[in-house]
């Protein structure tokens, strides 16, 4: 559902989601800041594979997923590092399209200013707080605001960020909003804070949080060998059955002290007399009774937390034990206890939230019924609607009686004067007639004015007297309502505390049965692992002996191969040396023959020269 939209704003935008955001930056914190611009560019680089429009192209428009990524980077870069305590963005407003037109923010929720500090969780929380607390949205009813988020904003957000419903804020009840005492809670972050507190208090490894949709009621518990997690049944169905059985707590209102007669709600708003009195207010307008007139007493706030029993855990020297080791069974049972305690804690949180909501709504309905009866009782005794007619009737009757008496008196005087003065002149007769008419007119005005003032005075006195009595009645009835409400609070407190303890005890007994079953399984697994380990050790010894023999034979073969290679190499070297010796001998003989041939030629030449 969308609030009223009256005009469209033309601006090119590459985002085509049904709902998204528009950011109006503050002068001190905007993309003109180098660090802010660097973060935006980094997001574009990191998310380039996603089906997102680039922030550099879409800003100031941005999807919910991009906004969450960007705000988280801002928090990590500026707030968590201590550079600044909080980031102030001028305005974050939801935008939408109509019939493929350009985006518009008309009629959409906004947060101004938008704060990112160490307590920032996600962008939906400040938007919900804004629509419930900002006077700009006071013209819309609670149902309109809730439907707007449930049917439009929440689905668009989940579709964009691809997350479960645990990241959606729990929309506060109408009772909390009307009393101005509401808190916007996000289940995912509430569970995260609870786990962190348990880790700090108990100095243990935080248990794995199992998603709500993975839990089911079953009597079979299968050990997941990969994740080492054991599923246990949730007690949601147990709690639902107990809550259904809790109808023994009476939701009806003890109204025996009220009058059961019907009340006519028609009001007469016609103005009174010719000269209007001060503006009249009925008890319905002046004393409108609302549940916020009598809020919950501070002494009964925060009494709904019930702790379920949990298993004691121990600390081991190592983080992991093999199935054949002696500590395997107690270590494995300790792991299972941690998982069971984690799931019991999650169910404990869920039960406390459901109990709080149940008591709050029942008290609201109870008080609303009481106040409705008080309002009806006060209205039934309000006789001011008929007070005017009663007083007017009484004064009119008195006026008519005196008027008739005076009129008869002057008529008698007239007849007597006419009889006595019948013989007088016509001018004397006209004078008598004129005097008569003047006296009649003068006395008529005087009488009307006299009784008009008397009626006004009587009406005001009676009206304020009855109003005071009605106020006293209202005060008495409101004190009675407060007492009954406190009694109802104590009754509901005791009843739901017993219900919660019963749920916790049943869940603990179920978990204990699981623990006993798994202990036998772990013992069998431990014995089997010991036998397997013994067989594996014997096989390993034989394998090691075989490997040593094979290794020795391989070494002998290597040595033989080495000696054979050396022998072959020596033979080759001997053959090469013999070949080189033969070549040297041949070369020496050839040189000797050449030398002898040259010597013989020289001797022949000498002989020739000598001859």
């Amino acid at each position: 559902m969308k609030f009223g939209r009256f005009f469209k704003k033309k601006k090119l935008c590459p985002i085509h989601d049904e709902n998204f955001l528009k950011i109006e930056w503050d002068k001190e914190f905007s993309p003109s800041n180098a660090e802010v611009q660097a973060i935006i560019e980094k997001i574009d680089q990191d998310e380039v594979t996603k089906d997102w429009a680039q922030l550099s192209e879409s800003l100031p428009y941005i999807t919910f997923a991009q906004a969450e990524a960007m705000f988280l980077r801002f928090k990590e870069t500026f707030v968590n590092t201590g550079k600044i305590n909080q980031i102030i963005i001028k305005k974050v407003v939801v935008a939408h399209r109509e019939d493929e037109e350009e985006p518009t923010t008309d009629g959409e929720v906004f947060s101004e200013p938008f704060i990112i500090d160490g307590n920032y969780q996600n962008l939906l929380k400040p938007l919900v707080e804004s629509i419930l607390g900002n006077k700009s949205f006071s013209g819309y009813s609670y149902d309109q605001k809730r439907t707007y988020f449930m049917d439009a904003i929440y689905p668009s957000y989940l579709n964009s960020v691809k997350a479960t419903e645990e990241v959606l804020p729990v929309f506060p009840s109408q009772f909390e909003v009307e009393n101005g005492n509401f808190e916007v809670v996000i289940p995912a972050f509430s569970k995260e804070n609870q786990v962190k507190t348990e880790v700090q208090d108990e100095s243990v490894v935080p248990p794995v949080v199992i998603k709500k949709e993975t839990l089911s009621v079953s009597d079979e518990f299968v050990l997941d060998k990969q994740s080492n997690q054991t599923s246990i049944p949730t007690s949601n169905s147990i709690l639902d059955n107990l809550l259904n059985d809790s109808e023994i707590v009476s939701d009806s209102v003890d109204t025996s002290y009220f009058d059961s007669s019907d009340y006519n709600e028609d009001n007469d708003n016609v103005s009174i007399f010719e000269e209007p009195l001060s503006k009249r207010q009925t008890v319905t307008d002046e004393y409108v009774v609302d549940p916020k007139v009598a809020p919950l007493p501070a002494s009964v706030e925060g009494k709904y937390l019930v702790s379920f029993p949990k298993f004691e855990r121990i600390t081991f020297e190592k983080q992991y034990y093999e199935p054949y080791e002696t500590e395997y069974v107690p270590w494995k049972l300790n792991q299972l206890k941690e998982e069971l305690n984690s799931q019991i804690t999650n169910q404990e949180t869920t039960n406390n939230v459901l109990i709080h909501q149940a008591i709050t709504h029942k008290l609201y309905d109870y008080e609303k019924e009481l106040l409705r009866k008080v309002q009806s009782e006060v209205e039934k005794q309000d006789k001011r609607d008929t007070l005017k007619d009663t007083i007017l009737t009484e004064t009119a009757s008195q006026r008519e009686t005196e008027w008739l008496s005076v009129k008869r008196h002057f008529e008698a005087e007239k007849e007597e004067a006419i009889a006595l003065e019948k013989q007088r002149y016509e001018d004397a007769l006209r004078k008598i007639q004129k005097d008569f008419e003047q006296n009649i007119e003068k006395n008529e005005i005087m009488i009307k004015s006299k009784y008009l003032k008397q009626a006004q005075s009587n009406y005001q006195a009676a009206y304020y007297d009855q109003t005071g009595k009605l106020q006293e009645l209202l005060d008495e009835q409101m004190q009675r309502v407060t007492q009954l409400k406190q009694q109802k609070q104590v009754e509901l407190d005791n009843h739901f505390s017993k219900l919660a303890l019963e749920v916790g005890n049943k869940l603990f007994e179920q978990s204990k049965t699981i623990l006993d079953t798994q202990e036998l399984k772990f013992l069998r697994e431990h014995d089997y692992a010991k036998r397997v380990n013994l067989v594996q050790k014997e096989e390993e010894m034989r394998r090691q002996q075989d490997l040593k023999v094979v290794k020795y034979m391989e070494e002998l073969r290597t040595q033989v191969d080495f000696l054979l290679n050396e022998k072959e190499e020596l033979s080759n070297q001997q053959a090469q040396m013999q070949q080189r010796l033969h070549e040297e001998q041949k070369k020496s003989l050839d040189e000797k023959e050449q030398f002898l041939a040259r010597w013989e030629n020289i001797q022949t030449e000498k002989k020739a020269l000598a001859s």
Side-chain angles (χ1 to χ4, degrees):
M1 172 183 173
K2 305 295 181 188
F3 294 150
R5 297 163 174 170
F6 305 103
F7 61 88
K8 297 180 175 62
K9 193 181 295 182
K10 296 293 184 179
K11 181 174 177 63
L12 296 177
C13 175
I15 298 176
H16 296 283
D17 292 2
E18 181 179 1
N19 293 290
F20 42 99
L21 298 173
K22 181 181 180 182
I23 297 178
E24 296 180 16
W25 300 96
D26 190 80
K27 292 181 179 180
E28 298 180 1
F29 191 89
S30 69
S32 59
N33 183 307
E35 290 183 277
V36 175
Q37 183 61 34
I39 291 174
I40 293 174
E41 293 175 355
K42 187 67 167 58
I43 293 175
D44 283 344
Q45 293 174 2
D46 294 345
E47 311 296 349
V48 69
T49 57
K50 293 188 177 180
D51 188 19
W52 287 357
Q54 294 288 291
L55 289 176
S56 57
E57 299 175 359
S58 65
L59 284 173
Y61 296 101
I62 185 172
T63 66
F64 288 109
Q66 287 176 311
E68 290 292 16
M70 185 173 67
F71 294 159
L72 182 59
R73 297 281 183 94
F74 287 167
K75 181 180 177 183
E76 293 173 349
T77 304
F78 298 102
V79 179
N80 292 351
T81 58
K83 291 183 179 180
I84 54 179
N85 293 329
Q86 63 180 11
I87 298 170
I88 300 177
I89 297 176
K90 182 179 179 182
K91 185 177 183 180
V92 173
V93 58
V94 173
H96 68 276
R97 294 176 181 274
E98 292 182 349
D99 302 327
E100 298 302 321
E101 296 291 337
E102 286 304 314
T104 177
T105 59
D106 296 338
E108 299 287 5
V109 65
F110 61 85
S111 177
E112 182 180 21
F114 189 89
I115 306 297
I116 301 175
D117 55 17
N119 297 323
Y120 174 84
Q121 295 176 346
N122 69 20
L123 61 86
L124 289 179
K125 183 176 180 180
L127 291 178
V128 173
E129 292 173 341
S130 177
I131 200 171
L132 295 177
N134 194 322
K135 294 183 180 180
S136 300
F137 305 106
S138 60
Y140 299 100
S141 67
Y142 170 85
D143 290 337
Q144 286 177 313
K145 296 174 183 178
R146 188 178 188 278
T147 303
Y148 169 72
F149 267 85
M150 293 298 179
D151 294 351
I153 303 304
Y154 282 1
S156 297
Y157 180 88
L158 291 180
N159 185 57
S160 179
V161 302
K162 311 298 182 187
T164 64
E165 293 184 355
E166 290 183 340
V167 303
L168 299 178
V170 178
F171 207 87
S173 67
Q174 185 174 3
F175 175 78
E176 294 171 329
V177 174
E178 290 177 350
N179 280 275
N181 184 23
F182 65 89
E183 180 182 4
V184 181
V185 177
I186 301 177
F189 293 96
S190 178
K191 290 182 179 179
E192 178 181 333
N193 293 334
Q194 182 180 4
V195 170
K196 289 180 179 179
T197 303
E198 290 179 356
V199 172
Q200 293 172 358
D201 293 343
E202 300 178 10
S203 300
V204 297
V205 178
V208 178
V209 178
I210 300 178
K211 290 184 178 179
K212 182 178 180 181
E213 59 268 20
T214 63
L215 301 178
S216 61
V217 177
S218 174
D219 294 331
E220 299 178 3
F221 306 95
V222 181
L223 182 64
D224 188 343
K225 295 181 179 180
Q226 296 179 353
S227 62
N228 291 328
Q229 295 179 5
T230 304
S231 301
I232 73 168
T234 63
S235 59
N236 287 342
S237 60
I238 301 173
L239 180 63
D240 293 340
N241 293 333
L242 291 174
L243 288 176
N244 292 333
D245 295 339
S246 68
E247 296 302 326
I248 58 176
V249 179
S250 176
D251 291 334
S252 62
V253 182
D254 182 9
T255 58
S256 58
Y257 62 93
F258 290 116
D259 186 1
S260 60
S261 60
D262 294 332
Y263 168 68
N264 184 7
E265 296 181 351
D266 295 334
N267 294 322
D268 185 6
N269 294 323
V270 181
S271 58
I272 309 173
F273 312 124
E274 290 79 2
E275 296 179 8
L277 300 172
S278 59
K279 184 177 180 181
R280 186 172 72 101
Q281 293 181 331
T282 65
V283 70
T284 306
D285 296 329
E286 188 174 3
Y287 304 108
V288 175
V289 182
D290 191 88
K292 62 186 177 183
V293 172
L296 282 173
S299 59
V300 300
E301 296 276 345
K303 288 189 177 180
Y304 308 111
L305 294 180
V306 178
S307 298
F308 289 176
K310 300 180 181 64
F311 298 101
E312 293 184 0
R313 291 167 288 180
I314 58 178
T315 304
F316 290 88
E317 294 180 356
K318 298 194 313 183
Q319 293 184 352
Y320 179 77
Y321 290 90
E322 296 293 342
Y324 59 82
E325 294 183 279
T326 305
E327 294 85 352
Y328 174 77
V329 172
W331 170 76
K332 197 71 175 176
L333 290 173
N334 191 63
Q335 277 197 327
L336 179 59
K337 288 178 181 179
E338 289 182 359
E339 295 176 9
L340 294 174
N341 282 347
S342 173
Q343 298 180 32
I344 290 173
T345 299
N346 291 339
Q347 189 60 45
E348 176 184 284
T349 302
T350 302
N351 284 13
N352 286 327
V353 172
L354 292 175
I355 289 171
H356 175 72
Q357 292 178 348
I359 291 178
T360 299
H361 287 295
K362 286 182 178 295
L363 280 177
Y364 175 75
D365 295 337
Y366 179 75
E367 182 183 18
K368 188 175 181 181
E369 180 65 17
L370 286 176
L371 295 177
R372 187 185 67 80
K373 293 294 184 180
V374 169
Q375 180 73 13
S376 176
E377 179 70 13
V378 172
E379 290 175 348
K380 283 188 293 185
Q381 298 193 32
D382 182 7
K383 307 299 182 181
R384 292 175 296 178
D385 288 340
T386 59
L387 189 61
K388 180 188 68 176
D389 294 336
T390 302
I391 292 177
L392 285 176
T393 301
E394 292 176 355
T395 55
S397 176
Q398 295 174 1
R399 182 193 65 189
E400 289 297 325
T401 301
E402 185 171 350
W403 164 242
L404 290 175
S405 176
V406 171
K407 185 177 180 181
R408 283 195 295 271
H409 171 71
F410 285 106
E411 285 179 348
E413 286 185 354
K414 182 189 73 170
E415 293 297 332
E416 183 180 355
I418 292 174
L420 295 175
E421 301 295 334
K422 201 170 188 181
Q423 302 300 321
R424 296 189 176 204
Y425 297 105
E426 287 297 326
D427 54 346
L429 184 60
R430 286 193 296 269
K431 184 178 183 300
I432 294 173
Q433 182 65 27
K434 183 178 179 181
D435 292 341
F436 168 77
E437 291 176 353
Q438 289 177 348
N439 289 331
I440 290 293
E441 182 179 1
K442 179 180 178 181
N443 282 272
E444 182 180 11
I445 294 174
M446 288 176 58
I447 292 173
K448 284 184 178 181
S449 176
K450 171 185 174 182
Y451 284 96
L452 177 61
K453 291 180 180 179
Q454 181 180 344
Q456 290 177 344
S457 176
N458 293 342
Y459 169 70
Q460 288 181 347
Y463 180 87
Y464 290 121
D465 179 65
Q466 191 172 133
T467 299
K469 292 179 180 179
L470 290 173
Q471 181 62 51
E472 292 178 358
L473 175 63
L474 178 63
D475 293 340
E476 292 176 359
Q477 298 298 348
M478 289 305 300
Q479 290 178 359
R480 177 64 174 166
V481 167
T482 301
Q483 294 174 356
L484 290 175
K485 181 180 176 182
Q486 291 176 350
Q487 294 174 2
K488 191 71 172 182
Q489 170 70 39
V490 174
E491 179 184 354
L492 291 173
D493 230 358
N494 295 333
H495 176 71
F496 282 99
S497 296
K498 292 179 181 178
L499 289 180
L501 288 176
E502 184 177 348
V503 172
N505 290 330
K506 286 187 178 181
L507 183 60
F508 180 79
E509 291 299 325
Q510 290 181 352
S511 302
K512 186 176 179 182
T513 303
I514 296 170
L515 198 61
D516 295 340
T517 304
Q518 293 298 320
E519 181 177 7
L520 295 174
K521 178 181 177 181
F522 294 152
L523 287 171
R524 291 195 297 271
E525 183 179 355
H526 176 63
D527 293 337
Y528 176 78
K530 288 173 63 177
R531 292 194 296 272
V532 170
N533 185 56
L534 182 60
V535 173
Q536 289 177 347
K537 284 183 177 180
E538 293 175 354
E539 291 178 353
E540 181 66 20
M541 291 176 62
R542 288 195 296 271
R543 190 175 66 83
Q544 292 296 334
Q545 291 177 354
D546 293 339
L547 288 175
K548 288 180 180 179
V549 173
V550 172
K551 183 177 180 182
Y552 180 74
M553 294 299 295
E554 289 294 333
E555 290 177 353
L556 289 178
R557 288 194 189 93
T558 302
Q559 291 179 359
V560 170
D561 292 338
F562 177 77
L563 292 174
L564 290 175
N565 289 335
E566 276 192 333
K567 181 180 178 181
E568 183 178 359
E569 186 175 355
L570 290 173
S571 298
N572 292 334
Q573 290 178 357
Q574 185 179 5
Q576 290 176 359
M577 291 178 65
Q578 289 178 354
Q579 179 69 23
R580 283 198 297 271
L581 180 60
H582 178 71
E583 290 175 352
E584 289 295 333
Q585 289 177 348
K586 183 179 179 181
K587 182 178 180 182
S588 177
L589 291 174
D590 291 340
E591 289 177 350
K592 183 178 181 182
E593 288 176 354
Q594 291 176 1
F595 177 76
L596 291 175
R598 286 198 299 274
W599 187 80
E600 288 177 354
N601 290 335
I602 293 172
Q603 292 298 325
T604 302
E605 289 177 356
K606 286 182 178 181
K607 289 178 180 182
L609 290 173
S611 62

